[in-house]
Amino acid sequence: MALDLRTVVANAALLGTAAGVAYTALAIVRTRAFRRSAADPHARFTPPLTVLKPLHGAEPNLYTNLRSLCEQVYPEYQILFGAAAKDDPALDVARRLQREFPQCDIAIVSGGAHAARNPKVGNLMGMMGHAKHGIVLIADSDIRAGRNYLQAVASCFGDTNVGVATCLYGGTPNGSVPSQLGAMFVNEQFAPSVLVAQTIEPLTYSFGATMAVRTRVLERIGGLEALADHLGDDYLLGKLAVQAGYHVKLCPYVVHTDVHEKDLRTLWMHELRWARTILANRPAGYAGSIVTNVLPLALLYALSARFAIQGTLALATAATLRILLHEEARKTFAPHTRRSPWLIPVRDALTLGVWCASFLGRNVAWRGDRYRINSDGRMVGSPAEL
């Protein structure tokens, strides 16, 4: 029986390793190709648009991140800064930018959030009535963009079949080990996995870093109200647009966010929230994402093969590809950061741990509260009830 079990484990590990090697090789190719496409000039299509920036608290580097919107090279756009509470400290930064950039069409909305289980969506619902233009771009407050950001996103809407446009984002660490590990997840696992998935199926979801949508499409899917009870509002926006007959376009442009995880526990809880949100929305795809953990899979195979030549060779191949992906992802999504290949084993062990833990419950922590995610991605209960 022991021999049979060892054989089963070895065969499963071999299949997983083979799939992981194929995935990682493809991720390297796709990441490199995306970097080259992002360097190409964008088509000239500049419809007026409105940018919605939902605010919540005085986040690190908030001024720099919000200022990047005021410095766009774009002919006509409106910026709406909004907070649920009238005394939110982030509004002080918004008012400062309003004074510093009088040439920008900046409006500030506060205290008008609608009732919603997802507080960010409730804030956006209160802001939406002030939008002037036919394309609305929603971007998280911790996102920083270059001067051609709006041009790149708007160009996606030159195709009339596109209802939603979105962007990948790169993570920049603050120097601490938890921050570095968090940025590595964003750059080396999340973003490449999206690019690989696009070779298999069309994009049917968007990302909170950038969710640009035609207002007529938003109205057709039920408005922001349709997203109000879902934690994965970015995923659902793309899904509903596709169901309505439109395409979701991945813009060949990278925005950036600073990763400020203060300790490993905070990082764990953050990534567990992401994982359980994805699991609820895309269970089959998330289960299949085990193949992104090529190094742990190869190590398991080498152990089960007692480090015979084939197991050792598989482990060496996996390690080489993983280091190459680390480098390609850094160049593409965080080019100003330093290499840290010595953290790869820690990062991959953490990813595997989060993947396993995501199946063991549905509760998540967000903004100091705890929520439960239903099997359809809906937030059920209330923080007080949980």
Side-chain angles (χ1 to χ4, degrees), residues 13-14 17-18 21 294-295 297-303 305-322:
L14 175 59
T17 301
V21 166
V294 64
L295 199 55
L297 289 170
L299 179 59
L300 177 61
Y301 174 58
L303 288 170
R306 298 181 177 179
F307 286 94
I309 183 63
Q310 65 270 25
T312 303
L313 181 61
L315 182 57
T317 301
T320 300
L321 288 173
R322 184 63 183 84

Side-chain angles (χ1 to χ4, degrees), residues 72-158:
Q72 293 295 301
V73 180
Y74 200 79
E76 184 180 359
Y77 68 104
Q78 174 196 26
I79 303 174
L80 290 177
F81 295 124
K86 292 184 177 181
D87 60 350
D88 192 305
L91 294 174
D92 292 336
V93 177
R95 295 186 187 102
R96 176 184 171 184
L97 290 169
Q98 196 176 43
R99 293 191 301 268
E100 292 179 357
F101 292 89
Q103 73 278 16
C104 289
D105 183 2
I106 298 175
I108 297 174
V109 182
S110 63
H114 292 199
R117 292 197 184 278
N118 184 323
K120 185 187 84 171
V121 176
N123 187 13
L124 290 168
M125 289 165 64
M127 299 165 64
M128 191 64 193
H130 300 269
K132 296 179 178 179
H133 303 303
I135 295 176
V136 172
L137 189 159
I138 301 168
D140 289 341
S141 56
D142 61 352
I143 293 301
R144 181 175 61 257
R147 291 167 61 86
N148 294 320
Y149 168 55
L150 295 185
Q151 172 66 72
V153 175
S155 293
C156 297
F157 292 97

